[in-house]
Amino acid sequence: ETGVTQTPRHLVMGMTNKKSLKCEQHLGHNAMYWYKQSAKKPLELMFVYNFKEQTENNSVPSRFSPECPNSSHLFLHLHTLQPEDSALYLCASSQEAGDKGYEQYFGPGTRLTVT
Amino acid sequence: GQNIDQPTEMTATEGAIVQINCTYQTSGFNGLFWYQQHAGEAPTFLSYNVLDGLEEKGRFSSFLSRSKGYSYLLLKELQMKDSASYLCAVRDGDYKLSFGAGTTVTVRA
């Protein structure tokens, strides 16, 4: 595997379900990100991890819970979601977060539908 | 919050040139990125500008004017495969990246 991978690619879940999204980067990066992309809207930053420490929580509801066990893996645990949470969830990584001019590399995303 | 504006859609002919403008108002500035995103795929990095001026990379060029809060992405010798969404993203004074809604470019034969 190369680059940034995400599983599953598609997920349909009910509002009472609990599921997790997984992201893995094979680039040796130290920063990982979760974004939400809704139709016709800008990418919204959700969480940032730098060297496994969460450095950003962009006012995300608690029904989204991130986990970063090491610099290569990032999870997004989902529970009690709402239909408006249906979107494409993108994971990204970069060399570091913060004051470095490093571009972010994105995974293919998980298309989430909440019914 | 941050404000990043770019046109919603643009259409151009194969072989032509298209310029996608991006204006921004952010609390501080630490660089501007352009990404390309094909339908159903991940955004991929195109360019990065932090100083004023033009950065050229093959058929793609990106320009920045910090005093005007303005950037453009220039796509030359358009090819059908250039049909995609182009995202402007600005890193603010806290080094947070904010994205515009994207410009969908359609290249016609």
Side-chain angles (χ1 to χ4, degrees):
Chain A
E1 294 277 12
T2 58
V4 182
T5 58
Q6 289 186 244
T7 55
R9 294 294 308 276
H10 300 273
L11 178 63
V12 179
M13 59 186 289
M15 289 190 283
T16 57
N17 291 160
K18 288 185 181 181
K19 296 285 185 183
S20 295
L21 309 185
K22 179 183 175 182
C23 175
E24 185 173 0
Q25 58 93 2
H26 310 266
L27 300 167
H29 288 165
N30 297 300
M32 296 187 78
Y33 311 78
W34 279 117
Y35 287 90
K36 176 183 178 182
Q37 189 174 37
S38 303
K40 305 298 183 186
K41 289 186 177 180
L43 273 166
E44 299 172 52
L45 178 66
M46 299 175 73
F47 302 103
V48 180
Y49 278 82
N50 198 33
F51 294 92
K52 299 189 298 177
E53 298 296 320
Q54 188 181 122
T55 58
E56 187 75 35
N57 176 338
N58 207 22
S59 303
V60 180
S62 60
R63 57 185 184 269
F64 296 91
S65 174
E67 178 190 359
C68 188
N70 55 61
S71 292
S72 299
H73 294 85
L74 186 64
F75 295 90
L76 189 62
H77 304 299
L78 316 171
H79 66 95
T80 332
L81 293 192
Q82 304 298 311
E84 59 264 30
D85 297 323
S86 298
L88 181 68
Y89 288 85
L90 289 163
C91 173
S93 72
S94 68
Q95 189 65 38
E96 287 182 34
D99 62 341
K100 306 290 185 186
Y102 298 118
E103 67 266 30
Q104 295 180 18
Y105 293 79
F106 286 84
T110 295
R111 174 68 63 186
L112 174 67
T113 304
V114 181
T115 60
Chain B
Q2 318 299 14
N3 194 25
I4 299 166
D5 289 317
Q6 50 182 131
T8 305
E9 295 179 334
M10 301 183 76
T11 302
T13 306
E14 201 173 12
I17 297 173
V18 70
Q19 177 174 313
I20 306 169
N21 296 324
C22 173
T23 58
Y24 62 89
Q25 291 176 304
T26 56
S27 51
F29 178 83
N30 280 295
L32 185 145
F33 296 80
W34 283 97
Y35 282 84
Q36 180 191 60
Q37 186 177 22
H38 286 99
E41 297 183 14
T44 55
F45 169 77
L46 288 178
S47 69
Y48 171 66
N49 295 70
V50 67
L51 300 176
D52 290 350
L54 188 67
E55 294 280 342
E56 296 187 80
K57 261 190 187 181
R59 294 188 298 114
F60 292 1
S61 303
S62 57
F63 171 83
L64 174 68
S65 169
R66 288 171 296 170
S67 62
K68 294 181 180 177
Y70 167 71
S71 172
Y72 67 72
L73 179 70
L74 195 69
L75 287 64
K76 294 180 276 191
E77 300 168 23
L78 277 175
Q79 301 175 10
M80 300 299 287
K81 66 178 182 179
D82 297 330
S83 292
S85 182
Y86 292 84
L87 311 177
C88 174
V90 177
R91 188 159 54 198
D92 65 19
D94 293 326
Y95 302 99
K96 287 172 56 177
L97 198 62
S98 296
F99 283 81
T103 300
T104 300
V105 171
T106 302
V107 181
R108 293 183 177 164

